[in-house]
């Protein structure tokens, strides 16, 4: 699946200087983007995150170096997030975000690239993580 060309622009709009972010994506293949502006993220361990990502729709980033998976979620759910062994990253956090065409290692890459229309449904993510925790515990 190849992302639509406007996805890179959609990602870059999260940055205060979208031209700077777009340039970084083009030249380095990643950009450091602020969270809590257009979306936030839920950080999960690599093992649990990859297992859950298979069953979740929406954009998911894998950082093999940090051994973490990030689910991009709506900002509006910030005060309500509570799920064991996860971390909600919102305002004042930044996330290394790969170019939308970076869908495999090495380095930070998309498990499921964004389509600029949909974020991860936080209720579905919470249910999947809770179910996974119950099975693993």
């Amino acid at each position: 699946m190849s992302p639509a060309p406007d996805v890179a622009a959609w990602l870059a709009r999260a940055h205060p200087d979208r031209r700077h972010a777009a340039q970084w994506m083009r030249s380095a293949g990643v950009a450091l983007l602020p969270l809590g502006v257009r979306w936030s993220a839920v950080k999960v361990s690599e093992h649990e995150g990859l297992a859950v990502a298979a069953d979740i729709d929406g954009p998911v980033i894998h950082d093999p170096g940090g051994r973490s998976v990030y689910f991009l979620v709506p900002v509006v759910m910030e005060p309500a997030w509570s799920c064991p062994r996860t971390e909600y990253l919102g305002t004042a956090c930044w996330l290394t975000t790969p170019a939308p065409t970076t869908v495999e290692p090495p380095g930070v890459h998309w498990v499921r690239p964004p389509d600029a229309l949909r974020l991860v449904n936080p209720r579905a993510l919470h249910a999947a993580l809770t179910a996974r925790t119950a099975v693993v515990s």
Side-chain angles (χ1 to χ4, degrees), residues 14-70:
H15 197 282
D17 182 347
R18 65 180 71 160
R19 281 183 275 191
H20 175 78
Q23 176 62 34
W24 268 97
M25 279 211 191
R26 279 191 305 275
S27 63
V30 296
L32 193 58
L33 298 179
L35 297 174
V37 177
R38 298 185 66 83
W39 59 79
S40 292
V42 173
K43 179 181 177 183
V44 181
S45 72
E46 182 178 57
H47 180 72
E48 288 186 28
L50 290 175
V52 168
D55 299 324
I56 294 293
D57 288 330
V60 181
I61 296 172
H62 179 206
D63 178 2
R67 304 197 68 172
S68 300
V69 172
Y70 300 87

Side-chain angles (χ1 to χ4, degrees), residues 6-18:
D6 63 342
V7 172
W10 178 78
L11 288 168
R13 280 196 296 272
H15 197 282
D17 182 347
R18 65 180 71 160

Side-chain angles (χ1 to χ4, degrees), residues 1-9 11 25 29 97-103 110 113-114:
M1 170 174 75
S2 179
D6 63 342
V7 172
L11 288 168
M25 279 211 191
T97 307
T101 54
T102 306
V103 294
W110 293 99

